[in-house]
Amino acid sequence: MKKAITILGIESSCDETSASILVDGIVLSNFIAGQQIHESFGGVVPELASRAHQQNILPVISEAIKSSGIEMSQIDAIAYTRGPGLLGSLIVGSSFAKGMAMGLNIPLIEVNHMHGHILAHFIKEKEGINKFPEFPFLCLTVSGGHTQIVLVKDYFDMQIIGQTIDDAAGEAFDKVAKILGFPYPGGPLVDKFAKNGDANKYKFPHPKVPGLDFSFSGLKTSFLNFVKNNLTANPNFIIENKESICASIQKTIIDILLHKLKQASQETGINNIAIAGGVSANSGLRSALKQAEENLNWNVFIPKFEYCTDNAAMIAIVGYLKYLNKDFSHQNLEPQARYNF
Ligand code: KG4
Ligand code: ZN
């Protein structure tokens, strides 16, 4: 019988320290430690993030191995996030991965974080039906740092056909939340309040950007002015209308994303549509995609909630696919804060 391949994935690109064990692409554990320390700062503080990774990395990896039920000696390779991300955060995860791979005398596999978000669609679950996107598919990758439409022809053959020219969609959610006085990261809170609001109560302008590119910085400015003007007229404006403000701005962001995704589908003739990245956890975006599946005859692929935001299972699945290609990495590769694929 063929030997099973066991991969330890390590993710530390931003403010989540995560480790995961995958055996033949099936997830046995996916342990994530968030960092609450950034909440009151309105964004991730890089220096604090690095320090928190340093504290979390050993317990997180130990827990991922322990809860998977495997022995450390069974690990065949270690996959880690090389970039993009915060350099200090990346250094913690990559240095740990290198040291551990050297200690265990096993191969090291570097992974592009954005690759991880996209290939998270191929993580297998032990139980239940595993439904994977068929190639080629379009992937709307929406996170705190990226907003891209990626044409995915194969696991390692991808092309960015549209992207933001300024802020990312996650950044837009977080900035809107900050204006409303919510702690960081505000995206999930906007999502939560939007559920009970009227999405058509307030209107915001859509940017006019050529091709398949996006822009969100203008929306942020118009939202800021909208809130300021309304607060001048009514100091309780946010408290009284929180739900509908969130629902309306969320709808605007989703409409902007969906508009370009539809355009990309029309231009490429591809109906296999996937979403990835932290913002794909947004319930409004998920239901808009499901709606589009019915109305536009799309095959829609939405990752399980826990594989949307940063996690190490998505790094481990890329590691597994690279392992099959014997695509190993040298110990002397340095982390990359900016890292295109
Ligand atoms: O992929 P991710 O975990 O980290 C990056 O690689 O950036 O994405 C984080 C982003 C944050 O901006 C966060 O506010 C946003 O994803 N996010 C959401 C939701 N959950 C996470 N935005 C809107 N609705 C959500 N439910
Ligand atoms: Zn991410």
Side-chain angles (χ1 to χ4, degrees):
M1 212 175 76
K2 229 177 91 210
K3 182 189 169 301
I5 296 163
T6 303
I7 305 287
L8 165 66
I10 299 175
E11 154 65 26
S12 73
S13 65
C14 191
D15 59 341
E16 254 105 24
T17 320
S18 180
S20 168
I21 294 286
L22 258 62
V23 174
D24 282 344
I26 300 169
V27 63
L28 297 191
S29 67
N30 183 35
F31 206 79
I32 305 167
Q35 303 180 356
Q36 282 180 345
I37 194 156
H38 310 289
E39 265 180 17
S40 56
F41 291 95
V44 177
V45 184
E47 169 77 20
L48 297 179
S50 316
R51 288 166 188 260
H53 281 302
Q54 202 56 272
Q55 286 181 344
N56 292 341
I57 193 133
L58 183 59
V60 164
I61 292 175
S62 302
E63 191 52 42
I65 296 172
K66 200 170 124 203
S67 59
S68 75
I70 63 138
E71 297 294 325
M72 191 131 69
S73 58
Q74 287 173 263
I75 300 171
D76 292 297
I78 299 177
Y80 71 97
T81 305
R82 184 179 177 200
L86 301 170
L87 195 65
S89 295
L90 292 166
I91 285 174
V92 177
S94 60
S95 300
F96 201 100
K98 287 177 182 187
M100 195 168 167
M102 196 179 264
L104 294 173
N105 196 24
I106 55 175
L108 189 64
I109 301 172
E110 60 99 18
V111 174
N112 182 307
H113 179 85
M114 301 313 292
H115 237 146
H117 274 304
I118 295 168
L119 296 182
H121 283 279
F122 297 93
I123 296 168
K124 293 183 203 154
E125 294 290 337
K126 223 177 186 173
E127 279 151 25
I129 302 160
N130 287 304
K131 184 188 164 207
F132 307 123
E134 273 174 37
F135 299 114
F137 66 91
L138 295 178
C139 189
L140 174 69
T141 313
V142 270
S143 69
H146 293 79
T147 296
Q148 301 172 334
I149 299 178
V150 183
L151 167 57
V152 187
K153 297 179 210 157
D154 209 333
Y155 296 123
F156 299 108
D157 184 3
M158 313 183 179
Q159 187 190 344
I160 298 165
I161 58 172
Q163 60 190 319
T164 182
I165 56 169
D166 41 55
D167 292 352
E171 223 173 330
F173 268 105
D174 295 337
K175 284 181 177 170
V176 158
K178 193 174 176 186
I179 293 168
L180 295 174
F182 302 163
Y184 178 85
L189 286 171
V190 173
D191 189 358
K192 184 178 149 203
F193 293 124
K195 285 185 182 131
N196 300 316
D198 173 4
N200 295 310
K201 187 161 179 186
Y202 307 108
K203 301 278 175 225
F204 301 99
H206 283 216
K208 291 194 173 44
V209 187
L212 296 173
D213 287 341
F214 300 92
S215 165
F216 288 103
S217 69
L219 184 62
K220 180 195 65 191
T221 312
S222 74
F223 185 78
L224 180 64
N225 291 334
F226 158 84
V227 171
K228 270 189 188 161
N229 293 341
N230 278 288
L231 279 178
T232 312
N234 171 14
N236 291 326
F237 174 69
I238 295 177
I239 299 163
E240 287 169 8
N241 300 287
K242 193 166 57 183
E243 284 85 2
S244 293
I245 299 171
C246 288
S248 302
I249 193 70
Q250 176 170 296
K251 181 180 184 297
T252 309
I253 295 173
I254 293 170
D255 285 349
I256 294 168
L257 294 171
L258 262 281
H259 175 73
K260 290 292 170 116
L261 197 51
K262 284 177 195 167
Q263 191 181 329
S265 169
Q266 277 164 5
E267 286 180 13
T268 57
I270 295 172
N271 280 355
N272 294 327
I273 310 289
I275 50 170
V279 180
S280 61
N282 183 269
S283 58
L285 179 60
R286 292 166 91 90
S287 42
L289 256 285
K290 283 183 192 139
Q291 192 110 49
E293 178 158 44
E294 283 176 27
N295 299 345
L296 302 170
N297 216 10
W298 282 357
N299 301 317
V300 166
F301 301 89
I302 301 174
K304 259 183 91 178
F305 196 78
E306 59 260 46
Y307 305 136
C308 290
T309 43
D310 289 349
N311 67 89
M314 71 184 200
I315 304 305
I317 191 69
V318 182
Y320 171 66
L321 294 165
K322 282 192 163 188
Y323 188 97
L324 296 178
N325 293 340
K326 299 270 174 283
D327 184 0
F328 303 133
S329 312
H330 202 274
Q331 281 272 349
N332 65 6
L333 288 182
E334 76 283 28
Q336 299 281 348
R338 290 173 173 272
Y339 192 18
N340 294 329
F341 58 80

